[in-house]
Amino acid sequence: MLKFIAKFGNLIQGVISGADRLVFRGSLRAIQYPFGMMGYLWNKQVPLTLFGQHAEQLTKQIKEASLAEARRLDRPIQYLPSSKTDKKVLAEQIALRDQVENGLICVLSCVEPCLSFEVGPNPEKKQLELKHRLRKCLFLYHYWLHPLFGFMSARIQTWFPFQVQIYLNGREWLARQMNQAGLSYIRQENCFPWIEDYGRAQALMDEQLKTDWSQELGKIAQQLNPLQREIFANFPASYYWSLIESEWATDVGFRGGVEVQRLFPLFVEHG
């Protein structure tokens, strides 16, 4: 990239590098595996024969609590019969239709595969046991125009172990930062053909790296599952965060003109 910039330096108006797509996973590690889940059930005095009943009750409570804010704000709650529906596009359409400028846009729900637990017999030990199992459950997708991150989304698995995923975009975040800093720019989808001051924009992207992720992601998880602290009051289980998908991108802004039009087909062919 440095060689590229050096070669075409006279045609380049600015360069920014930073995070693009980011996907964080939040796991309640205390109940992520059968051994920990058994400890939780013992703490709650729930026998294995009543695990299904207990799980269904909690799922119902979490679903209602997670949807409460959308109902309070009268934001759309929509069930999707197919998980293949492009949820991001749908949420963007709702935001445009309702002229949402900040806060919750909508909550979309659908049934998808998940890793959970089941209770079944162990023929060798001749007793019931808790096992990991692939099954399907309801997921809730929340979409926001977040005050810090801009357009973003997060989902929660409404069945044990209540795993969450949070989706951010570094360029969307940068746009929000530049708005707050009064920095002018032109944006086309997920790129910036022109920025008033590339140095200041890069400094803002560098600030993203100093984020207290545990704190910021924890706030979002609390909105997904407002009952977390209540459910695990006597059996501590907090979300452990890991980055499961990440993209780091460098944007090179050209000055435009005939020379760039000549070079563009060569760049595409090389790519």
Side-chain angles (χ1 to χ4, degrees), residues 141-170:
Y141 287 78
H142 293 237
Y143 284 83
W144 294 277
L145 278 173
H146 192 274
L148 176 62
F149 302 121
F151 183 86
M152 61 156 294
S153 65
R155 76 173 195 181
I156 182 169
Q157 172 181 322
T158 61
W159 194 272
F160 279 115
F162 312 126
Q163 192 173 90
V164 306
Q165 285 189 8
I166 297 177
Y167 306 78
L168 307 177
N169 184 287

Side-chain angles (χ1 to χ4, degrees), residues 24 211-221 238-241:
F24 294 89
T211 302
D212 186 337
W213 289 112
S214 181
Q215 178 179 341
E216 294 299 335
L217 299 178
K219 293 177 184 177
I220 297 169
S238 57
Y239 280 104
Y240 174 84
W241 298 103

Side-chain angles (χ1 to χ4, degrees), residues 59-96:
T59 290
K60 182 178 179 180
Q61 293 174 355
I62 289 174
K63 178 183 174 182
E64 292 303 312
S66 190
L67 296 177
E69 183 69 3
R71 291 191 172 118
R72 185 183 72 82
L73 297 174
D74 197 26
R75 299 307 307 145
I77 300 171
Q78 184 173 339
Y79 174 75
L80 305 177
S82 172
S83 61
K84 296 181 180 179
T85 301
D86 193 325
K87 303 172 188 65
K88 179 177 180 290
V89 170
L90 179 56
E92 289 173 336
Q93 292 172 347
I94 293 173
L96 182 63

Side-chain angles (χ1 to χ4, degrees), residues 16-21 171 190 202 205 247-251:
I16 57 171
S17 293
D20 197 350
R21 173 181 167 84
R171 267 46 182 183
N190 201 41
Q202 184 61 60
M205 293 214 82
E247 295 178 4
W248 186 271
T250 297
D251 295 358

Side-chain angles (χ1 to χ4, degrees), residues 22 53 105 159 198 208 232 246:
L22 298 172
Q53 180 180 328
I105 298 171
W159 194 272
Y198 280 85
Q208 295 179 2
F232 300 103
S246 66

Side-chain angles (χ1 to χ4, degrees), residues 5 29 49 51 54 72 74 77 84 91 116 127 148 153 162 176 187 202 218 235 251 258 262 269:
I5 294 171
R29 300 178 81 185
T49 53
F51 170 74
H54 177 73
R72 185 183 72 82
D74 197 26
I77 300 171
K84 296 181 180 179
S116 186
Q127 63 182 31
L148 176 62
S153 65
F162 312 126
R176 185 59 65 105
R187 182 179 180 184
Q202 184 61 60
F235 187 85
D251 295 358
V258 177
R262 181 185 70 83
E269 182 180 354

